Amino acid sequence: MIERTLVLLKPDAVQRGFMGEILTRFERAGLKIVGMKMVWVDKDFSKQHYEEHVEKGFYPGLESMITEGPVLALVLEGVEAIGTVRKMVGSTEPKAAAPGTIRGDYAHVSYGYADTKNIGVKNLIHASANAEDAQKEVALWFASQELHTYKTVHDVHIL
Ligand code: IDP
Ligand code: MG
């Protein structure tokens, strides 16, 4: 039931100065940050991370977007963290993302707009979609010695 999930604050979130605000949301929800680092990925790494999308029409725009600056990579841990974090992140298309979600509160663009410009839709954040992806993505982004096991004040409330 305690899961780990990979989260990336994408270059648009870093450049817009939203790292702190977004981290605060996760900390307030009681999720534990067990890994965190800034990484500027290259095209090869993008293809590994976005393996499922490489053949898609929007991939070139997605690749330029994810490689245009550093990302903040995080591993979050908590009860059913994978689904909880996806819920907090909101729908992929900012136009469709509900208010109260990270994408709904900090972005508004549509697929239609991104596609006319040939850019990846700038939606601030990536979060693993399911348990299989989470395991694969955490291992891709973090070495085991970069992940930490420690107690937070939230633990007494959830264990
Ligand atoms: P997710 O990030 O919500 O899991 P995915 O479908 O896995 O969404 O897509 C990965 C990323 O690719 C999205 O977060 C978004 O930045 C970008 N993307 C997805 N679909 C489109 C599209 O139709 N046009 C432009 N960019 C897209
Ligand atoms: Mg995805």
Side-chain angles (χ1 to χ4, degrees), residues 4-5 22 36 38 53-54 62 65 75 85 100 103 110 115 119 128 131 135 138 141 144 157:
R4 286 181 168 186
T5 188
I22 296 171
M36 179 159 73
M38 281 186 106
H53 298 310
V54 169
L62 175 58
M65 189 261 292
V75 178
V85 170
R103 287 167 171 169
S110 64
D115 291 347
I119 53 174
S128 303
Q135 203 182 15
V138 169
W141 284 81
S144 55
H157 300 292

Side-chain angles (χ1 to χ4, degrees), residues 66-101:
I66 203 72
T67 59
E68 79 177 30
V71 305
L72 184 68
L74 310 167
V75 178
L76 297 178
E77 182 183 278
V79 177
E80 298 180 51
I82 299 164
T84 296
V85 170
R86 288 284 288 196
K87 184 187 67 178
M88 292 172 74
V89 164
S91 303
T92 304
E93 185 185 28
K95 179 189 162 197
T101 66

Side-chain angles (χ1 to χ4, degrees), residues 23-107:
L23 282 176
T24 296
R25 288 181 175 223
F26 292 129
E27 288 187 303
R28 284 191 180 141
L31 291 156
K32 192 185 292 185
I33 299 169
V34 298
M36 179 159 73
K37 61 182 175 184
M38 281 186 106
V39 187
W40 193 329
V41 300
D42 62 17
K43 291 176 180 193
D44 283 348
F45 196 88
S46 170
K47 289 185 181 81
Q48 289 182 64
H49 174 70
Y50 281 128
E51 195 182 4
E52 63 175 318
H53 298 310
V54 169
E55 301 301 327
K56 296 185 183 161
F58 64 79
Y59 181 75
L62 175 58
E63 186 182 83
S64 343
M65 189 261 292
I66 203 72
T67 59
E68 79 177 30
V71 305
L72 184 68
L74 310 167
V75 178
L76 297 178
E77 182 183 278
V79 177
E80 298 180 51
I82 299 164
T84 296
V85 170
R86 288 284 288 196
K87 184 187 67 178
M88 292 172 74
V89 164
S91 303
T92 304
E93 185 185 28
K95 179 189 162 197
T101 66
I102 293 162
R103 287 167 171 169
D105 282 351
Y106 299 112

